[in-house]
Amino acid sequence: MSPIPPEHGGTRRSVKSLVPPGVYAPQEDTELLAGALVEEPVPPGADVLDVGTGSGALAVTAARRGSRVTAVDVSWRAVCATRLNALRAGVPVRVRQGNLFDPVRGRSFDLILANPPYVPAPDGRGRPRGAARAWDAGGDGRLVLDRICREAPALLRPGGVVLLVQSALSGPEQTLGRLRTAGMKAAVTRRRRIAFGPVLRDREVWLRERGLLPAADNEEELVVVRAELPV
């Protein structure tokens, strides 16, 4: 199976997965979030949710650390890819198909991982379909981010943590503000600048016209947001 072309970043991948066509392939944002995951002091046996798991790269990374992992994706192809990659890695991962948190209502977690769609999309495209669901996120890039900020805190145990990655184009300060309003301690813990990939190059003029991309900026900044629910 071959990975899809990078949708907005480069091609370097330290997080290895088999990726069928139409499923988001691990890229710089996955790698950045995986680095934050590895540094997070999660005790063995912790319950971890990887929402929007894609090929399951983050779910497998968490499972290798001894966590009990549940992975969710709206795409059946992603569900199958995650099951296959967990099997190849020899780690247990519970995989569920569904829209964001819907399959895990009533459960609680110690850690929630999210690499959601966050690329702003021109108006008039409607809700994304197919592979574009992995990156298109409405006119401001916050179609899924706002829902995560609104719904994730209720699924956390006291002391639980959300780790999510997004682009600076989609308003990290809004993410921080919404999570803090929900009672969480939130901060940007990692940053990385990367070259534009095919989608951002295609939308560059539109992004600059919207004021989402400064005229002198020729790279995209990715950030990891860490939010903790007080005990």
Side-chain angles (χ1 to χ4, degrees), residues 121-128 136 202-203:
D123 299 334
R125 295 198 176 192
R127 297 190 71 85
D136 278 359
D202 181 62
R203 298 177 188 177

Side-chain angles (χ1 to χ4, degrees), residues 74 98 174 222:
V74 71
Q174 295 181 54
L222 302 176

Side-chain angles (χ1 to χ4, degrees), residues 114-194:
N115 182 1
Y118 53 68
V119 179
D123 299 334
R125 295 198 176 192
R127 297 190 71 85
R129 291 180 165 274
R133 290 182 298 186
W135 56 83
D136 278 359
D140 60 0
R142 300 198 57 85
L143 184 65
V144 179
L145 280 165
D146 284 343
R147 186 175 165 192
I148 291 173
C149 293
R150 184 172 63 250
E151 299 181 21
L155 277 73
L156 285 175
R157 295 168 184 158
V161 170
V162 172
L163 289 175
L164 68 84
V165 64
Q166 68 172 91
S167 173
L169 298 174
S170 47
E173 66 287 345
Q174 295 181 54
T175 299
L176 295 173
R178 290 176 186 273
L179 290 168
R180 289 167 182 163
T181 297
M184 303 189 72
K185 297 182 290 185
V188 171
T189 58
R190 283 176 171 245
R191 299 178 183 270
R192 178 180 296 177
R193 299 187 67 83
I194 63 171

Side-chain angles (χ1 to χ4, degrees), residues 16-103:
K16 303 295 185 181
S17 297
L18 291 178
V19 187
V23 174
Y24 184 77
Q27 297 171 48
E28 282 92 342
D29 51 2
T30 314
E31 182 179 315
L32 191 64
L33 189 54
L37 167 61
V38 169
E39 291 184 355
E40 187 66 29
V42 180
D47 286 307
V48 175
L49 172 64
D50 180 21
V51 64
T53 191
S55 66
L58 292 167
V60 168
T61 300
R64 281 175 168 157
R65 302 186 70 208
S67 297
R68 296 180 298 190
V69 182
T70 300
V72 174
D73 204 288
V74 71
S75 163
W76 276 111
R77 288 189 180 189
V79 167
C80 293
T82 298
R83 287 174 176 161
L84 176 59
N85 284 313
L87 183 64
R88 291 177 66 240
V91 294
V93 175
R94 176 183 295 181
V95 190
R96 297 290 181 265
Q97 189 277 335
N99 189 344
L100 211 61
F101 300 114
D102 288 349

